[in-house]
């Protein structure tokens, strides 16, 4: 497993709320109420974005997956947080990572989503 990002918010997230938000936003879900995967479509393909097991988290391998996780987090009224405490959000249409006073811009969310899940290369 790669670097994990998790969806955090003050109130616990219920499966019913997750399912409602995912359905309205065009995401798909595969699994049970206890455990499963959040999926997003791009072109003819369906791609895993996050895992559900009472909490929502993901190990993105592309900017597209980070952008999808940011979308889900925002729709749930939550924050997307990395293992090192950095946060991810959309500001002025740009997906960014913020850690203290430092920030990194992934790019415009509409362009990232249109480009699709191209895997990061080392």
């Amino acid at each position: 497993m790669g670097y994990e990002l998790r969806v955090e918010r003050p109130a616990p997230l219920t499966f019913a709320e997750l399912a409602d938000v995912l359905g309205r936003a065009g995401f798909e879900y595969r699994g049970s109420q206890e455990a499963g995967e959040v999926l997003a479509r791009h072109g003819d393909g369906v791609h895993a974005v996050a895992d559900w097991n009472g909490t929502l988290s993901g190990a993105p391998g592309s900017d597209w997956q980070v952008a999808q996780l940011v979308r889900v987090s925002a729709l749930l009224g939550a924050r997307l947080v990395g293992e090192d405490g950095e946060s991810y959000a959309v500001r002025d249409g740009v997906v960014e990572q913020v850690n203290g006073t430092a920030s990194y811009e992934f790019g415009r969310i509409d362009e990232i989503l249109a480009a699709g899940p191209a895997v990061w290369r080392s």
Side-chain angles (χ1 to χ4, degrees):
M1 177 174 226
Y3 192 80
E4 186 177 85
L5 304 180
R6 63 192 177 284
V7 176
E8 293 184 347
R9 65 182 207 170
L13 178 61
T14 66
F15 178 77
E17 183 179 8
L18 176 68
D20 178 56
V21 167
L22 294 177
R24 286 187 286 121
F27 288 91
E28 298 176 30
Y29 183 81
R30 182 182 316 150
S32 68
Q33 290 186 18
E34 290 76 34
E37 286 184 305
V38 174
L39 308 164
R41 287 195 168 278
H42 186 268
D44 292 334
V46 179
H47 307 273
V49 172
D51 294 313
W52 168 258
N53 61 1
T55 62
L56 194 60
S57 64
S62 69
D63 289 352
W64 182 85
Q65 288 174 313
V66 172
Q68 294 291 9
L69 281 165
V70 167
R71 282 186 60 220
V72 170
S73 297
L75 292 166
L76 292 167
R79 292 181 27 180
L80 184 61
V81 180
E83 292 176 7
D84 296 327
E86 76 280 10
S87 62
Y88 299 77
V90 175
R91 186 172 53 94
D92 299 327
V94 175
V95 178
E96 69 176 0
Q97 173 196 64
V98 177
N99 193 357
T101 58
S103 67
Y104 168 78
E105 293 184 352
F106 285 84
R108 298 205 50 79
I109 190 163
D110 55 343
E111 294 171 0
I112 293 170
L113 294 175
V119 176
W120 291 323
R121 303 274 185 240
S122 307

